[in-house]
Amino acid sequence: MPSSAPPVTENRPAWSLFAGPGERGWQLWRAAGEAILAGALVLLIHKGESTVDARLAGGAAALGLIGIALVLVRRRFSVAAVLGLAALMGVVPAVAMLTAVAAYTATRQLETRRRRVGLLLAAAATAMVTCAACAPQMGLGSRSFGLALGAVLAATTVVVPGLVGVAAGQQDRLLRALRERAAAAEEARRLADSESRMRERSRIAAEMHDLVGHRLSLISLHAGGLEMALLKEAPELRDEAAVVGRASRDAMQELREVLGVLGPLGRDTGTDALTDATGTRADIEALVEESRGGGIPVEFSWEGPDLDARPARVRRAVHRVVRESLTNVHRYAAGAHVTVTVRHADERVEVGVRNGVPPVPPTATTGLGTGRGLIGLRERVALLGGGLEAGRTPGGGFTVAAEIPADPGPGAETADADPYDSRPATVDGPGGGLSALQRRLAGAVTGLLGLAGVGMMMLFGVVLVDQAHYGPEYRTPEKPRLGMARERVERAVAPDDHGARAAAAGREPPRPASATDCLYPYPGGIPKGGRLEIVRYCFRSDILIAIDRFTVPMVTEKATEPPRGRKTHD
């Protein structure tokens, strides 16, 4: 049969290139802000690496834009973004900081250890291979130098941020698991408390069944006797007595059908069954004597008249408070001194049970109790319009204090009684006391500080590799000599340097007429007298034909002055 109900549509989050798994919305504002910050980082690093990026001409800007695009989609395509940025970093070092951001985000999202380790190793290897392959074309030096530079960039912008992301991801998952466990524990506690309240209410209903059923039984019994007596004395009234008897029996049957379904769930039996003496002074004194017989020193005081004239539910509540409190003393504070106080005024009945510190701590098997009995007592007292307080005393003991109306009347439940709460338990996430804006600002500041630290490590590592590259102790021991091939000369000296070429322009001795090209290595010497020594190697068909050494001033001189450098020709 067709149904007229509208189809149920699943509420799925909008898919976006800039949103991570589980995030809702397009996140366009966040992507725009990240694009601006990424562009600023690329331009900032480009200032320091302009000599490298300049060799790419217009390609540096295009590769930089590709790097910005990859960092924007790192949440959706984390693996591809990290590998792509690692490859770009070997060609355009300006995207190194973007690689660090992508590595942190990717390892924070990945949950399996194998995928995290595989990603970090693959990204580090990609950066090293790309940098080694492109080093000669970019004028950085030999492939070995490019490999060393790539290792430094991979360690500082891939491995270190990746490890930090792994730690952050583990912390996120741990907090998520703790929140789920706390929510489950809160839900279990709420259900247990509700069960205790319902159990106490069923016990009260069972007590009412016993009490009212007893009264109805008496009415039915007397109605039957009256019917028998009127059979001879006043036959005309016999039918009326029969109606009363049938009504009492019907009422008893209906009461059993309504309340008897509760069965033995909340009914007291044996010596604790409801009687007319329950809750009176004699009944409370009997409970006290029973505790004294169990080895508990109990001090009892009663102020005011007896409770025999008060409603049965009031007396029953007094009895339950005293009995439950003394039972808890036997369980968790055996041997402690106890004071039981009952004050009966005109309108209120105050019950207090206070115990001190037990001489011997309870064994570990007793535990600290579940508190379900106190929850039931609080529910019973609240249904009468009273209140119950329970808690530890400053001296280390425990106290239970109840205040019950002496004549509650019908419908005495107050607004203070906790209703059954069917809402699911919720637990605040981390930083629940902070606003979303404050948390985002704190995260942004932390991220900027982290990027600053990564930048300092990267700069320090690059400087070390650069100094090692140009240091004489790492060069080949073979000295350049005339007739040597160009490849052997380049292995023996520092790579060609644009700064040395610019400094020699206009101040170098004339090149040999047959020279086809000259090499100006980086001047690694210390300037003397304000002048810097430059060595020039000239080649003809990749064969070294001349080695010239000359000095140039460290400051710009007038163009009209002739060069005053010492010139030697080997």
Side-chain angles (χ1 to χ4, degrees), residues 108-447:
R108 185 171 184 174
Q109 289 182 353
L110 297 178
E111 296 185 358
T112 60
R113 179 181 178 182
R114 180 177 300 178
R115 295 188 63 187
R116 293 194 298 263
V117 174
L119 177 61
L120 291 180
L121 292 179
T126 302
M128 294 171 61
V129 171
T130 306
C131 193
C134 299
Q137 289 75 13
M138 295 297 102
L140 297 176
S142 62
R143 298 187 188 279
S144 59
F145 174 74
L147 185 63
L149 181 61
V152 171
L153 293 177
T156 55
T157 62
V158 176
V159 178
V160 173
L163 294 178
V164 176
V166 169
Q170 291 178 343
Q171 182 181 14
D172 292 341
R173 288 184 287 273
L174 177 61
L175 290 177
R176 190 184 310 119
L178 291 176
R179 288 197 298 269
E180 292 175 355
R181 291 184 61 182
E186 179 67 18
E187 180 69 12
R189 186 200 63 80
R190 185 188 64 81
L191 293 177
D193 291 350
S194 176
E195 180 183 359
S196 298
R197 294 189 181 97
M198 297 304 296
R199 188 180 184 89
E200 189 66 24
R201 292 193 178 194
S202 67
R203 183 181 289 112
I204 295 172
E207 294 169 0
M208 183 174 62
H209 174 275
D210 295 340
L211 181 63
V212 178
H214 175 66
R215 303 300 183 189
L216 290 177
S217 297
L218 291 178
I219 294 175
S220 178
L221 180 62
H222 288 292
L226 181 60
E227 182 181 358
M228 295 296 295
L230 293 177
L231 182 60
K232 296 180 179 180
E233 299 295 334
E236 65 277 6
L237 299 178
R238 178 177 175 275
D239 294 338
E240 298 295 334
V243 170
V244 174
R246 285 194 302 270
S248 61
R249 288 190 294 271
D250 292 342
M252 172 66 74
Q253 183 64 28
E254 292 174 358
L255 181 63
R256 287 175 177 174
E257 291 177 356
V258 174
L259 301 179
V261 294
L262 298 174
L265 174 64
R267 178 176 295 143
D268 293 327
T269 58
T271 58
D272 294 332
L274 180 63
T275 64
D276 292 338
T278 300
T280 60
R281 181 168 183 170
D283 178 57
I284 303 302
E285 288 178 348
L287 293 177
V288 170
E289 289 298 331
E290 183 178 354
S291 295
R292 289 172 180 170
I296 303 295
V298 183
E299 180 181 348
F300 174 66
S301 65
W302 184 292
E303 299 180 7
D306 204 344
L307 296 177
D308 51 357
R310 295 301 180 181
R313 50 182 177 162
V314 174
R315 293 186 283 107
R316 188 62 175 173
V318 173
H319 173 88
R320 291 283 297 171
V321 170
V322 176
R323 190 181 71 176
E324 182 69 24
S325 300
L326 292 177
T327 300
N328 289 338
V329 172
H330 281 275
R331 290 178 179 175
Y332 312 117
H337 184 271
V338 183
T339 302
V340 179
T341 304
V342 179
R343 297 184 180 89
H344 178 200
D346 294 337
E347 299 180 355
R348 313 292 292 181
V349 179
E350 299 178 1
V351 183
V353 180
R354 182 188 183 98
N355 66 271
V357 181
V360 179
T363 60
T365 55
T366 60
L368 298 177
T370 61
R372 304 292 178 252
L374 294 177
I375 294 174
L377 287 181
R378 189 174 288 108
E379 180 72 9
R380 178 183 288 268
V381 173
L383 290 174
L384 296 177
L388 183 139
E389 298 292 335
R392 294 193 175 276
T393 60
F398 201 85
T399 181
V400 177
E403 187 175 355
I404 307 169
D407 190 6
E413 182 176 359
T414 63
D416 295 335
D418 295 333
Y420 176 78
D421 187 6
S422 60
R423 295 174 299 176
T426 58
V427 179
D428 291 338
L434 299 176
S435 64
L437 179 61
Q438 289 174 330
R439 290 196 297 270
R440 290 185 178 181
L441 288 178
V445 172
T446 304

Side-chain angles (χ1 to χ4, degrees), residues 5-19:
V8 178
T9 58
E10 185 178 358
N11 187 15
R12 296 182 178 178
W15 192 88
S16 173
L17 289 173
F18 313 118

